[in-house]
PDB file of all heavy atoms in Angstrom:
ATOM      1  N   ASP G 183      57.462  92.097-121.713  1.00  0.00           N
ATOM      2  CA  ASP G 183      56.626  91.204-122.521  1.00  0.00           C
ATOM      3  C   ASP G 183      56.145  90.100-121.577  1.00  0.00           C
ATOM      4  O   ASP G 183      56.923  89.190-121.270  1.00  0.00           O
ATOM      5  CB  ASP G 183      57.448  90.648-123.709  1.00  0.00           C
ATOM      6  CG  ASP G 183      56.600  89.660-124.527  1.00  0.00           C
ATOM      7  OD1 ASP G 183      55.591  89.157-124.020  1.00  0.00           O
ATOM      8  OD2 ASP G 183      56.983  89.428-125.690  1.00  0.00           O
ATOM      9  N   ASP G 184      54.926  90.195-121.171  1.00  0.00           N
ATOM     10  CA  ASP G 184      54.420  89.254-120.149  1.00  0.00           C
ATOM     11  C   ASP G 184      53.478  88.143-120.758  1.00  0.00           C
ATOM     12  O   ASP G 184      52.626  87.615-120.075  1.00  0.00           O
ATOM     13  CB  ASP G 184      53.689  89.980-119.026  1.00  0.00           C
ATOM     14  CG  ASP G 184      54.430  89.918-117.710  1.00  0.00           C
ATOM     15  OD1 ASP G 184      55.444  89.153-117.665  1.00  0.00           O
ATOM     16  OD2 ASP G 184      54.031  90.530-116.745  1.00  0.00           O
ATOM     17  N   ALA G 185      53.763  87.849-122.040  1.00  0.00           N
ATOM     18  CA  ALA G 185      52.919  86.841-122.704  1.00  0.00           C
ATOM     19  C   ALA G 185      52.724  85.569-121.879  1.00  0.00           C
ATOM     20  O   ALA G 185      51.650  84.993-121.834  1.00  0.00           O
ATOM     21  CB  ALA G 185      53.546  86.536-124.065  1.00  0.00           C
ATOM     22  N   HIS G 186      53.850  85.119-121.224  1.00  0.00           N
ATOM     23  CA  HIS G 186      53.786  83.820-120.497  1.00  0.00           C
ATOM     24  C   HIS G 186      53.416  84.033-119.050  1.00  0.00           C
ATOM     25  O   HIS G 186      53.272  83.054-118.294  1.00  0.00           O
ATOM     26  CB  HIS G 186      55.100  83.103-120.642  1.00  0.00           C
ATOM     27  CG  HIS G 186      55.346  82.636-122.061  1.00  0.00           C
ATOM     28  ND1 HIS G 186      54.918  81.422-122.525  1.00  0.00           N
ATOM     29  CD2 HIS G 186      55.885  83.283-123.089  1.00  0.00           C
ATOM     30  CE1 HIS G 186      55.251  81.332-123.788  1.00  0.00           C
ATOM     31  NE2 HIS G 186      55.800  82.449-124.163  1.00  0.00           N
ATOM     32  N   ALA G 187      53.304  85.274-118.584  1.00  0.00           N
ATOM     33  CA  ALA G 187      53.100  85.516-117.167  1.00  0.00           C
ATOM     34  C   ALA G 187      51.674  85.956-116.826  1.00  0.00           C
ATOM     35  O   ALA G 187      51.214  85.734-115.695  1.00  0.00           O
ATOM     36  CB  ALA G 187      54.093  86.578-116.677  1.00  0.00           C
ATOM     37  N   THR G 188      50.959  86.441-117.799  1.00  0.00           N
ATOM     38  CA  THR G 188      49.597  86.881-117.546  1.00  0.00           C
ATOM     39  C   THR G 188      48.739  85.704-117.084  1.00  0.00           C
ATOM     40  O   THR G 188      48.746  84.665-117.736  1.00  0.00           O
ATOM     41  CB  THR G 188      48.988  87.480-118.848  1.00  0.00           C
ATOM     42  OG1 THR G 188      49.819  88.586-119.253  1.00  0.00           O
ATOM     43  CG2 THR G 188      47.561  87.929-118.621  1.00  0.00           C
ATOM     44  N   GLY G 189      48.067  85.858-115.978  1.00  0.00           N
ATOM     45  CA  GLY G 189      47.254  84.805-115.455  1.00  0.00           C
ATOM     46  C   GLY G 189      48.006  83.789-114.626  1.00  0.00           C
ATOM     47  O   GLY G 189      47.439  82.943-113.952  1.00  0.00           O
ATOM     48  N   VAL G 190      49.345  83.900-114.751  1.00  0.00           N
ATOM     49  CA  VAL G 190      50.200  82.855-114.080  1.00  0.00           C
ATOM     50  C   VAL G 190      50.894  83.412-112.863  1.00  0.00           C
ATOM     51  O   VAL G 190      50.865  82.859-111.773  1.00  0.00           O
ATOM     52  CB  VAL G 190      51.245  82.330-115.093  1.00  0.00           C
ATOM     53  CG1 VAL G 190      52.264  81.445-114.430  1.00  0.00           C
ATOM     54  CG2 VAL G 190      50.532  81.523-116.215  1.00  0.00           C
ATOM     55  N   LEU G 191      51.621  84.547-113.070  1.00  0.00           N
ATOM     56  CA  LEU G 191      52.431  85.074-111.984  1.00  0.00           C
ATOM     57  C   LEU G 191      51.650  86.159-111.203  1.00  0.00           C
ATOM     58  O   LEU G 191      50.854  86.909-111.760  1.00  0.00           O
ATOM     59  CB  LEU G 191      53.705  85.716-112.504  1.00  0.00           C
ATOM     60  CG  LEU G 191      54.863  84.761-112.852  1.00  0.00           C
ATOM     61  CD1 LEU G 191      56.110  85.625-113.165  1.00  0.00           C
ATOM     62  CD2 LEU G 191      55.196  83.786-111.760  1.00  0.00           C
ATOM     63  N   GLY G 192      52.013  86.324-109.931  1.00  0.00           N
ATOM     64  CA  GLY G 192      51.411  87.338-109.079  1.00  0.00           C
ATOM     65  C   GLY G 192      50.200  86.770-108.386  1.00  0.00           C
ATOM     66  O   GLY G 192      49.537  85.882-108.907  1.00  0.00           O
ATOM     67  N   GLU G 193      49.904  87.333-107.231  1.00  0.00           N
ATOM     68  CA  GLU G 193      48.785  86.936-106.419  1.00  0.00           C
ATOM     69  C   GLU G 193      47.472  86.780-107.248  1.00  0.00           C
ATOM     70  O   GLU G 193      46.752  85.829-107.147  1.00  0.00           O
ATOM     71  CB  GLU G 193      48.589  87.929-105.283  1.00  0.00           C
ATOM     72  CG  GLU G 193      47.562  87.649-104.231  1.00  0.00           C
ATOM     73  CD  GLU G 193      47.962  86.529-103.297  1.00  0.00           C
ATOM     74  OE1 GLU G 193      49.142  86.274-103.186  1.00  0.00           O
ATOM     75  OE2 GLU G 193      47.048  85.880-102.743  1.00  0.00           O
ATOM     76  N   THR G 194      47.175  87.775-108.068  1.00  0.00           N
ATOM     77  CA  THR G 194      45.920  87.748-108.812  1.00  0.00           C
ATOM     78  C   THR G 194      46.145  87.504-110.316  1.00  0.00           C
ATOM     79  O   THR G 194      45.251  87.765-111.131  1.00  0.00           O
ATOM     80  CB  THR G 194      45.128  89.065-108.613  1.00  0.00           C
ATOM     81  OG1 THR G 194      45.957  90.170-109.104  1.00  0.00           O
ATOM     82  CG2 THR G 194      44.821  89.319-107.139  1.00  0.00           C
ATOM     83  N   GLY G 195      47.346  87.080-110.683  1.00  0.00           N
ATOM     84  CA  GLY G 195      47.600  86.746-112.053  1.00  0.00           C
ATOM     85  C   GLY G 195      47.888  87.960-112.993  1.00  0.00           C
ATOM     86  O   GLY G 195      47.774  87.862-114.202  1.00  0.00           O
ATOM     87  N   LYS G 196      48.274  89.080-112.348  1.00  0.00           N
ATOM     88  CA  LYS G 196      48.558  90.285-113.153  1.00  0.00           C
ATOM     89  C   LYS G 196      49.917  90.226-113.827  1.00  0.00           C
ATOM     90  O   LYS G 196      50.255  91.138-114.605  1.00  0.00           O
ATOM     91  CB  LYS G 196      48.484  91.555-112.313  1.00  0.00           C
ATOM     92  CG  LYS G 196      47.079  91.919-111.870  1.00  0.00           C
ATOM     93  CD  LYS G 196      47.085  93.298-111.257  1.00  0.00           C
ATOM     94  CE  LYS G 196      45.747  93.765-110.739  1.00  0.00           C
ATOM     95  NZ  LYS G 196      45.365  93.132-109.498  1.00  0.00           N
ATOM     96  N   GLY G 197      50.717  89.272-113.530  1.00  0.00           N
ATOM     97  CA  GLY G 197      51.968  89.062-114.257  1.00  0.00           C
ATOM     98  C   GLY G 197      53.193  89.370-113.413  1.00  0.00           C
ATOM     99  O   GLY G 197      53.141  89.483-112.190  1.00  0.00           O
ATOM    100  N   THR G 198      54.328  89.578-114.114  1.00  0.00           N
ATOM    101  CA  THR G 198      55.607  89.650-113.431  1.00  0.00           C
ATOM    102  C   THR G 198      55.762  90.845-112.519  1.00  0.00           C
ATOM    103  O   THR G 198      56.306  90.707-111.416  1.00  0.00           O
ATOM    104  CB  THR G 198      56.772  89.614-114.479  1.00  0.00           C
ATOM    105  OG1 THR G 198      56.471  88.605-115.442  1.00  0.00           O
ATOM    106  CG2 THR G 198      58.065  89.285-113.838  1.00  0.00           C
TER     107      THR G 198
END
Side-chain angles (χ1 to χ4, degrees):
D183 178 341
D184 247 354
H186 294 268
T188 301
V190 171
L191 280 189
E193 184 72 23
T194 62
K196 288 191 183 74
T198 316

